[in-house]
Amino acid sequence: MSLFQRGSFTLASGESSSWLIDCRALVTEDWAALAKLIVERTPPFRVVLGVPEGGIRLMQALEQHRDRTATGVLVVDDVWTSGGSMNRYIDQVWAEGALAGPVSRAVVFARRSPPADVVALFTMED
């Protein structure tokens, strides 16, 4: 399994693409390094939430960086295409009452430029 794959893919957004970012190829040490980069670029957070399923391993890597004195919530995902998955997840946890405090968003890879309020470690254009 490789991180970047070429072929014919239907993305979670429903879009078609000739390439795929498969973060299942990343190992624990990769996630730890990516988490450190995100911590350097986002406000302190008390709670970290990972968008299922891509954001779970990143969330786990970020758990050790939580600041129990902070009030913020950090929502993370592995890949941003249209933002639909993250937005639906935020709406869901908001409705469940799980979001309290300011919300920050971060992703490892963005397939296109995300909104200014989303920290993307790496941005690519199709």
Side-chain angles (χ1 to χ4, degrees):
M1 177 184 325
S2 62
L3 180 59
F4 299 103
Q5 300 174 23
R6 300 224 21 107
S8 180
F9 303 97
T10 300
L11 308 174
S13 66
E15 295 178 39
S16 296
S17 179
S18 61
W19 57 281
L20 178 75
I21 304 168
D22 190 346
C23 289
R24 293 176 298 178
L26 299 174
V27 297
T28 301
E29 293 79 12
D30 297 326
W31 289 112
L34 293 166
K36 196 90 160 109
L37 291 171
I38 287 173
V39 167
E40 293 171 359
R41 291 165 173 82
T42 58
F45 54 91
R46 178 181 45 84
V47 175
V48 59
L49 301 172
V51 176
E53 134 179 7
I56 300 301
R57 290 179 67 196
L58 181 55
M59 175 192 72
Q60 292 167 339
L62 284 160
E63 284 285 335
Q64 68 179 341
H65 299 286
R66 293 186 309 141
D67 179 345
R68 300 203 188 276
T69 65
T71 60
V73 176
L74 178 62
V75 180
V76 298
D77 203 357
D78 57 351
V79 179
W80 173 282
T81 300
S82 67
S85 297
M86 183 175 278
N87 292 335
R88 283 188 298 277
Y89 180 68
I90 288 172
D91 289 347
Q92 173 192 340
V93 295
W94 184 269
E96 294 169 357
L99 290 181
V103 176
S104 300
R105 303 186 291 168
V107 297
V108 177
F109 297 101
R111 293 180 65 91
R112 62 181 57 97
S113 295
D117 68 326
V118 176
V119 171
L121 296 181
F122 306 97
T123 301
M124 299 169 225
E125 295 294 330
D126 210 5

